[in-house]
Amino acid sequence: MMRKIVLMMSVSLDGFFEGPNHELDWQLIDEELHGFFNDQLRDMGAFLDGRVTYELMAEYWPTADKDPEAAAPVAEFARIWREMPKIVYSRTLDRVEWNTTLVREVVPTEVLELKAQPGGDLALGGGKLAAEFMRHDLIDEYWLYVHPVVLGEGTPLFQAPEARLNLRLTETRAFGNGVVLLRYRRPATE
């Protein structure tokens, strides 16, 4: 069975994954939600990220568990992130660390070869990279964590307007902080 590519993103109620100044401080990630993220990500086969997402993650997560004040889910995710194989798509980075492979372009045949390898599903992160994967029809599932916040402006999650998708809802889950998971699958991946 082929691995799936899963876009797992937090979005505002009005569809933005970051604010107008790239801020993420509106996300309501408490211990319950972070623990759920960890449960979902722990068994993934790799993280697929764009440069911006990778740099943001690499700035904090390699040592996040060294902070004695770190909540248990934060410390656990630091270990998950360090150990997880990562593929970063970037034309500008010269080097990467932390169990990371650098790839210059999204080549659909290479992504399909990656999906055919054994292991867990592949977690996709980053708006621009998600748009590129959408253009090539490479995303199998969409896990959208909708936060009860209206930003009014920012960077929209869906940046590939030419890519029309018909999806099937497979799960909803409400968290105590008001965040709702909407999990969708492409009918072709069932």
Side-chain angles (χ1 to χ4, degrees):
M1 185 166 157
M2 196 171 281
R3 302 195 283 185
K4 295 185 294 272
I5 293 179
V6 177
L7 176 63
M8 182 178 167
M9 293 284 286
S10 287
V11 295
S12 65
L13 192 58
D14 50 349
F16 299 111
F17 74 90
E18 64 181 5
N21 298 307
H22 309 288
E23 67 272 14
L24 302 173
D25 60 349
W26 52 270
Q27 294 183 5
L28 304 173
I29 301 175
D30 59 9
E31 286 199 32
E32 177 196 16
L33 185 57
H34 208 294
F36 185 82
F37 287 167
N38 291 351
D39 290 344
Q40 302 305 302
L41 294 170
R42 184 179 302 111
D43 296 327
M44 290 287 177
F47 293 149
L48 311 178
D49 291 321
R51 178 192 57 81
V52 173
T53 300
Y54 170 75
E55 288 180 333
L56 184 68
M57 300 296 277
E59 199 175 283
Y60 179 73
W61 290 110
T63 59
D65 57 342
K66 306 294 186 237
D67 179 355
E69 303 292 315
V74 170
E76 180 186 14
F77 184 74
R79 290 186 293 276
I80 292 169
W81 188 86
R82 276 196 309 267
E83 294 170 10
M84 183 69 62
K86 291 168 276 302
I87 298 173
V88 175
Y89 292 85
S90 172
R91 294 181 189 105
T92 58
L93 282 176
D94 292 324
R95 64 186 272 269
V96 291
E97 299 178 89
W98 308 107
N99 196 17
T100 305
T101 301
L102 182 60
V103 176
R104 295 290 176 204
E105 302 283 335
V106 175
V107 178
T109 54
E110 291 175 5
V111 174
L112 293 174
E113 289 170 10
L114 182 64
K115 286 177 64 172
Q117 294 175 7
D121 291 338
L122 306 166
L124 177 64
K128 289 181 183 174
L129 185 60
E132 190 66 19
F133 271 66
M134 284 178 70
R135 283 185 191 95
H136 294 293
D137 196 26
L138 294 169
I139 301 173
D140 301 297
E141 292 191 11
Y142 294 79
W143 299 0
L144 305 180
Y145 293 85
V146 181
H147 293 249
V149 175
V150 174
L151 296 177
E153 60 181 333
T155 308
L157 175 57
F158 296 105
Q159 300 177 29
E162 69 281 1
R164 179 180 172 152
L165 299 170
N166 294 316
L167 303 171
R168 188 171 76 77
L169 182 65
T170 59
E171 178 185 359
T172 61
R173 178 178 175 151
F175 295 89
N177 62 6
V179 172
V180 175
L181 165 62
L182 300 175
R183 188 170 165 179
Y184 294 95
R185 177 178 293 158
R186 283 191 1 221
T189 62
E190 294 179 14

